[in-house]
């Protein structure tokens, strides 16, 4: 018995050792990407002693060495999986193996750092924003000092840039330049940043521009099936998304007949109560709503016991430097154990009413999706997990699927029960299905930009917004399918395991981390039983 226990401990320590050294390597080579949740294929790893002068290195040599390191870790994990691991350790080993394969193939085969100038500018923005938010006095000056060298390496990475990516990069560069100028005007020392951005701009103008943004067919298939974790072909996903869109349009027609007879649902949308607000007023509107939602979530048992009440949730407008790549309101977690909370970023410009800025009552669903009980609660629970290996892992499919599922949970617990709520929930589902179809269509070359914009018009987007967001979807292939597909998987789990007690289901799910629906299906029965005792 003693020998078996020691053997188990050796295997456990091997698993933890593999995770520890691989996470440390990723954080040392890619400190900004690993320290942000903007880069969803990277694990979120916090360096204990951060060197603020060091920026991410995407040079061919360094990426190749990092890929070799990950291959070695993958071999070690594959050998471990042959062994007789406990269920939790089996889940952890499989989870880490998938994460490393995905990150390696993203860097080597997909290579956004080779084709997207905006990728490097996003790293720049995230790195500077992290330093601005830090209380360490050297964080800002040292990050600024290291930025020109980072931009020089970034320019060397660019190779055969699709025209649409060059246009997005050029737009984002202008935003970055304005942001740096505003920081200078506010008294921040920005060193050689302005001239470094001009050098990067010149390098962008020198790159070889290609017409097509399409990934090789095999790479795209692997990205959709394995990296995103769908387990489905792009054709099967498109069929599911089309069925969802048709179903939600039927619900919208029924709700419109009830709420605004004789009108189309697009016309009826203009009748939804509207809150006029901008800037700080808009942030205050969201803040009040989130306080109410959090109280509801705790009252209905959706929050695990001991979930950190002190993980701060800040609300801020989207920084100017990220406006070029942002399509909507978004949440960004601050990585770290114990949980450090995060920021709910609100878009300054959105669909107004008669030229007046503000939000319709849909903002309540957005608040639930992005913060309570959506992304903010999920990330806070992830960062307090007992199993350290799972804390840095973020799965796009589960991440967005959970946030969409929480809107349904809020409806089932009676929060979204107003006259327009069923209409709004259906509209949001229709939009997500349409965006997923656009993702599938654009990435496979079966849909044109014009067709994509027409589909967005069909689900209520204005021509201006549709024209703006379609190119942005190209930057993250596969991401837009995560909402509908993740929701469908989550609803499947809810119907099987949570029909009797929604609160117990939610608390148990949140206590497992982002291990994915397929693994949750295996571990939920025993986990639910433990939660009940």
């Amino acid at each position: 018995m003693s020998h078996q226990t020691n053997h188990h401990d050796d295997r456990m320590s091997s698993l933890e050792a593999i995770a520890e050294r691989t996470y440390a390597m990723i954080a040392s080579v890619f400190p900004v990407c690993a320290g942000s949740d903007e880069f969803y294929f990277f694990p979120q790893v916090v360096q204990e002693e951060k060197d603020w002068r060091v920026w991410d290195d995407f040079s061919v040599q360094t990426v190749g060495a990092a890929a070799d390191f990950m291959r070695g870790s993958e071999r070690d994990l594959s050998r471990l999986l042959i062994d007789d691991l406990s269920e939790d350790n089996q889940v952890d080993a499989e989870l880490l193996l998938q994460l490393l394969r995905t990150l390696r193939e993203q860097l080597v085969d997909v290579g956004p750092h080779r084709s997207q100038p905006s990728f490097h500018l996003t790293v720049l923005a995230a790195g500077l924003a992290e330093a601005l938010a830090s209380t360490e006095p050297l964080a800002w000056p040292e990050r600024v000092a290291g930025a020109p060298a980072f931009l020089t390496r970034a320019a060397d990475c660019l190779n055969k840039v699709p025209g649409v990516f060059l246009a997005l990069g050029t737009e984002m560069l202008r935003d970055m330049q304005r942001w740096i100028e505003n920081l200078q005007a506010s008294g921040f020392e920005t060193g050689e940043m302005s001239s470094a951005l001009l050098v990067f701009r010149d390098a962008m103008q020198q790159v070889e521009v290609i017409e097509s943004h399409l990934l090789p067919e095999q790479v795209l298939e692997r990205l959709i099936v394995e990296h995103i974790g769908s387990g489905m072909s792009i054709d099967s996903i498109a069929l599911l998304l089309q069925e969802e869109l048709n179903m939600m349009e039927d619900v919208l027609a029924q709700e419109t007949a009830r709420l605004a007879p004789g009108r189309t649902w697009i016309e009826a949308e203009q009748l939804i109560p509207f809150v006029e607000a901008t800037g700080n007023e808009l942030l205050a509107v969201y803040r009040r709503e989130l306080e109410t939602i959090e109280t509801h979530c705790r009252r209905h048992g959706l929050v695990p016991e001991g979930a950190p009440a002190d993980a701060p949730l800040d609300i801020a407008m989207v920084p100017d430097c990220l406006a070029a790549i942002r399509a909507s309101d978004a949440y960004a977690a601050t990585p770290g154990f114990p949980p450090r909370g995060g920021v709910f970023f609100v878009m300054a410009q959105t669909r107004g009413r008669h030229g007046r800025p503000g939000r319709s009552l849909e903002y309540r669903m957005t608040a639930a999706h992005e913060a309570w009980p959506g992304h903010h609660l999920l990330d806070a629970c992830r960062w307090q997990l007992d199993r350290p290996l799972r804390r840095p892992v973020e799965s796009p499919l589960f991440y967005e699927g959970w946030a969409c599922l929480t809107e349904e949970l809020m409806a089932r617990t009676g929060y979204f029960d107003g006259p327009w709520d069923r209409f709004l929930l259906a509209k949001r589902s229709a939009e997500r299905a349409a965006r997923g179809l656009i993702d599938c269509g654009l990435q496979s070359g079966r849909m044109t930009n014009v067709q994509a914009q027409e589909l967005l018009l069909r689900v209520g987007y204005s021509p201006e917004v549709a024209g703006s967001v379609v190119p942005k979807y190209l930057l993250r292939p596969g991401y837009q399918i995560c909402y509908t597909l993740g929701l469908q998987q989550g609803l499947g789990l809810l119907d099987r395991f949570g029909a009797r007690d929604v609160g117990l289901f939610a608390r148990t799910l949140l206590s497992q981390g982002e291990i994915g629906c397929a693994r949750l299906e295996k571990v939920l029965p025993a986990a639910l039983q433990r939660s009940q005792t």
Side-chain angles (χ1 to χ4, degrees), residues 410-421:
M410 294 297 283
R412 292 196 186 189
T413 54
Y415 193 82
F416 294 141
D417 64 351
W420 285 95
D421 285 349

Side-chain angles (χ1 to χ4, degrees), residues 251-274:
V251 174
L252 283 166
Q254 294 164 14
E255 289 298 297
T256 301
R258 179 177 66 82
L259 295 161
R263 298 177 187 257
T264 67
W265 77 259
I266 299 286
E267 293 167 340
E269 189 178 4
Q270 295 301 307
L271 302 177
I272 298 170
F274 188 83

Side-chain angles (χ1 to χ4, degrees), residues 317-370:
M317 305 307 292
V318 172
D320 292 341
C321 60
L322 292 178
I325 59 166
R326 279 277 182 261
S328 61
D329 298 346
Y331 176 76
T334 304
F337 175 81
R340 296 167 57 195
V343 183
F344 177 14
F345 287 113
V346 176
M347 291 286 285
Q349 300 298 324
T350 187
R351 291 176 241 183
R353 183 75 58 86
H354 305 304
R356 297 191 299 272
R359 296 289 197 274
S360 80
L361 286 185
E362 186 179 351
Y363 82 87
R364 298 162 63 237
M365 283 89 178
T366 304
H369 182 102
E370 300 295 343

Side-chain angles (χ1 to χ4, degrees), residues 107-185:
L107 291 169
V108 174
D109 300 329
V110 180
H113 57 285
R114 297 192 296 267
S115 62
Q116 297 179 14
S118 60
F119 177 86
H120 299 286
L121 292 172
T122 304
V123 176
L124 180 67
L128 293 175
E130 182 188 17
L132 276 176
S134 174
T135 56
E136 295 183 33
L138 290 177
W140 177 255
E142 291 192 345
R143 268 278 158 89
V144 167
F150 163 73
L151 284 170
T152 299
R153 286 196 305 272
D156 289 341
C157 292
L158 296 174
N159 179 35
K160 295 186 178 179
V161 175
V164 63
F165 293 166
L166 186 64
L168 285 168
T170 302
E171 180 186 353
M172 188 173 184
L173 182 69
R174 287 195 293 265
D175 289 339
M176 285 293 301
Q177 288 172 319
R178 279 195 296 270
W179 186 52
I180 295 300
E181 288 169 6
N182 289 338
L183 286 170
Q184 286 175 329

